[in-house]
Amino acid sequence: MSKRVLIIRLGAIGDVVETTGLLRALKNIGCEIDYLTGNVPGQLLANDFDIKNLFIFEKKDYKYIFNLGLRLRQLDYDVILDLQPSLRLRILSRIIGAKKIVNYQKSYNFHAVENFFATGKKIFPDLKLDKNLHLYIPPKIKEEMSKKLNNKLKICFNTGANSSRQGRKWCIDYWKKLADLILAKYDAEIYVIGAKDDEKNVNELVNYLPKIKSFAGKTSIIETAALLSCADIVISGDTGPLHIASATDTVCIGLYGCCSISRSGPYGEKHFTISSGLNCSPCDKRTCKFLNSFIDDAPCMREIKPEKVLNLVDTIISQK
């Protein structure tokens, strides 16, 4: 008899993508899976065939949580996997009720994908984790996105990063230099993604090299996923789009300063990473001790030179 399982993970985007390894493993042993998440990551899961019911968490107030819990309680879950334990979500899980509730415990001893997977493994010992992640992207959206690109070598830059974490963002001068190096060597198309907040940096890059095509602030999250899936190579710091790309069968190059590659590198067999050589890296801290709170150009990211990234681009292209 199959088990009814509710997975809870509200965000962030990259974290939700990293839970899909557990999701696929549960489906492979015959579980019936519902998923509760936030609005934006929910758009990535809306077309997922392995999810029976997708629920969007809309408010943090306790009245909403109580009513949501009573509604989900009617679905009679066997297992709740709370992958984002907080007081509110612990209360929600109790209201929903299940024969077994398991809370995620974060560990830096192994990769986030494996960490989420281990939560389910406690209940389902026969689970097996795939070596790669996979997101379902509607073919129509992917087809429409591919029409906006040409048939050249397609390389995507993700220049943005969460402003609350220093040590994840590469400086715009390095992106300019890398673009120069790539376009001088290859007949390639470079396009840049990002949110509205990234438009200033992206515009600086596009103004410097008009050949670069910007999609920053112009696509939904599922359209961004489609765009990433059309690329030959995605280059990014440790942020949501990098993990989306890693789950779309696109080769990724991850740039890592403060964050541990073993914990949060792009998951899968064919991806590449470059890390800082500084002794303090990775520190896994939100703020850099060498910077003030208004600067995100951390020394660890400065240590990663564009020439090193080009070497990896060369390696990937030589293998195609």
Side-chain angles (χ1 to χ4, degrees), residues 6 8 77-82 89-104 119 123:
L6 174 66
I8 301 175
Y77 292 109
D78 297 297
V79 178
I80 294 175
L81 299 176
D82 182 358
L89 294 182
R90 286 177 187 270
I91 292 172
L92 176 62
S93 295
R94 292 296 180 184
I95 296 171
I96 296 171
K99 297 179 179 66
K100 191 70 177 177
I101 299 172
V102 185
N103 293 309
Y104 167 73
T119 309
I123 301 297

Side-chain angles (χ1 to χ4, degrees), residues 303-320:
E303 187 74 11
I304 302 171
K305 306 301 182 185
E307 291 79 7
K308 291 183 179 180
V309 182
L310 180 68
N311 289 339
L312 280 185
V313 172
D314 292 340
T315 298
I316 294 166
I317 293 173
S318 70
Q319 293 174 353
K320 287 187 175 292

Side-chain angles (χ1 to χ4, degrees), residues 18-307:
E18 289 173 326
T19 69
T20 59
L22 170 60
L23 169 63
R24 309 294 170 225
L26 289 168
K27 185 65 177 180
N28 286 340
I29 63 169
C31 290
E32 187 177 276
I33 306 156
D34 290 354
Y35 202 118
L36 174 66
T37 190
N39 178 53
V40 175
Q43 295 173 45
L44 289 175
L45 301 180
N47 300 283
D48 199 309
F49 300 111
D50 290 339
I51 297 174
K52 182 175 182 181
N53 296 302
L54 179 67
F55 302 106
I56 303 301
F57 189 87
E58 297 174 352
K59 300 178 183 179
K60 291 184 178 180
D61 68 79
Y62 285 103
K63 181 179 179 181
Y64 169 79
I65 289 170
F66 181 74
N67 289 331
L68 175 63
L70 291 180
R71 179 158 62 95
L72 296 183
R73 187 181 183 88
Q74 299 175 25
L75 297 177
D76 194 23
Y77 292 109
D78 297 297
V79 178
I80 294 175
L81 299 176
D82 182 358
L83 302 183
Q84 189 172 325
S86 66
L87 177 59
R88 284 180 171 82
L89 294 182
R90 286 177 187 270
I91 292 172
L92 176 62
S93 295
R94 292 296 180 184
I95 296 171
I96 296 171
K99 297 179 179 66
K100 191 70 177 177
I101 299 172
V102 185
N103 293 309
Y104 167 73
Q105 293 182 327
K106 187 172 183 177
S107 170
Y108 286 93
N109 293 328
F110 45 109
H111 197 282
V113 171
E114 297 165 350
N115 201 170
F116 289 128
F117 174 79
T119 309
K121 188 81 170 175
K122 293 177 182 178
I123 301 297
F124 303 100
D126 294 334
L127 284 185
K128 293 182 180 180
L129 180 62
D130 198 345
K131 294 180 180 179
N132 297 286
L133 300 179
H134 178 69
L135 283 176
Y136 291 107
I137 301 172
K140 184 177 181 181
I141 294 178
K142 186 171 180 176
E143 181 182 356
E144 290 173 352
M145 188 57 64
S146 66
K147 291 177 181 177
K148 299 178 182 180
L149 311 172
N150 62 35
N151 293 323
K152 296 181 179 181
L153 175 70
K154 293 180 280 293
I155 299 178
C156 177
F157 288 179
N158 175 42
T159 63
N162 191 324
S163 59
S164 68
R165 284 185 178 268
Q166 297 171 324
R168 289 191 178 191
K169 195 170 185 178
W170 218 31
C171 68
I172 196 64
D173 290 341
Y174 280 10
W175 288 111
K176 290 178 182 178
K177 178 65 174 177
L178 180 60
D180 275 333
L181 292 170
I182 290 173
L183 293 177
K185 193 168 187 178
Y186 297 105
D187 182 23
E189 177 181 60
I190 295 175
Y191 52 90
V192 190
I193 63 168
K196 281 285 185 183
D197 294 344
D198 302 317
E199 283 187 293
K200 182 179 178 181
N201 272 354
V202 171
N203 288 339
E204 183 178 342
L205 184 57
V206 172
N207 290 337
Y208 174 72
L209 276 175
K211 289 183 179 180
I212 295 176
K213 189 172 184 178
S214 171
F215 288 89
K218 301 174 183 177
T219 57
S220 66
I221 192 67
I222 192 64
E223 289 171 332
T224 297
L227 185 60
L228 293 167
S229 73
C230 292
D232 294 295
I233 303 172
V234 171
I235 305 171
S236 172
D238 178 25
T239 186
L242 175 67
H243 301 291
I244 293 172
S246 73
T248 64
D249 202 35
T250 296
V251 181
C252 300
I253 299 175
L255 311 178
Y256 281 74
C258 71
C259 296
S260 168
I261 292 171
S262 61
R263 166 68 192 179
S264 60
Y267 191 80
E269 296 183 297
K270 65 180 184 180
H271 306 302
F272 297 81
T273 56
I274 302 179
S275 61
S276 169
L278 297 182
N279 291 334
C280 58
S281 175
C283 64
D284 286 311
K285 297 188 181 299
R286 289 182 176 271
T287 57
C288 174
K289 63 182 179 181
F290 299 110
L291 300 178
N292 67 43
S293 59
F294 303 104
I295 301 174
D296 56 14
D297 187 14
C300 55
M301 292 299 282
R302 274 277 178 184
E303 187 74 11
I304 302 171
K305 306 301 182 185
E307 291 79 7

